[in-house]
Amino acid sequence: MSLPFADRVIQLAFDPGITPAGGGLPGLAVLKNVVNSINMFGIIAVVGALAVSLGVWAWGHHTGGHQAEANGKKGAVVAAGAALGLGAANGIVAFFSALGSQVH
């Protein structure tokens, strides 16, 4: 026997009462340490990528290699975007988590 549409909507809107809680599982501190280390590794890799891209850009400019110059510019922009994303990752997740908690 199928439920009426209104009853199905009410079931979808049911609040299960789940909220994020720190310290609920063992190993949370280790997981945070691993994620922080991955983020730091990414930032260090972006610094290297930016240095290489800027070097390619300069080399292409001074040798007249327009393709190398364009690739250096693209690499620099991508590295800058990656640095922005890595640096802002925690704030972005916190923002959308807070935004999502306001949905009722």
Side-chain angles (χ1 to χ4, degrees):
M1 180 165 109
S2 67
L3 295 173
F5 180 73
D7 289 339
R8 282 188 259 160
V9 170
I10 290 172
Q11 286 179 347
L12 288 176
F14 176 73
D15 181 16
I18 307 288
T19 57
L25 292 174
L28 186 60
V30 173
L31 182 61
K32 285 181 183 180
N33 192 20
V34 168
V35 171
N36 287 337
S37 298
I38 291 170
N39 196 2
M40 179 57 69
F41 177 80
I43 290 172
I44 291 169
V46 165
V47 169
L50 183 61
V52 169
S53 295
L54 293 176
V56 169
W57 185 358
W59 176 74
H61 177 75
H62 290 295
T63 62
H66 300 292
Q67 187 70 29
E69 184 179 0
N71 287 336
K73 287 179 185 178
K74 284 188 282 188
V77 170
V78 168
L84 178 67
L86 287 168
N90 196 31
I92 291 169
V93 170
F95 171 77
F96 283 107
S97 177
L99 192 64
S101 68
Q102 295 176 7
V103 175
H104 295 287

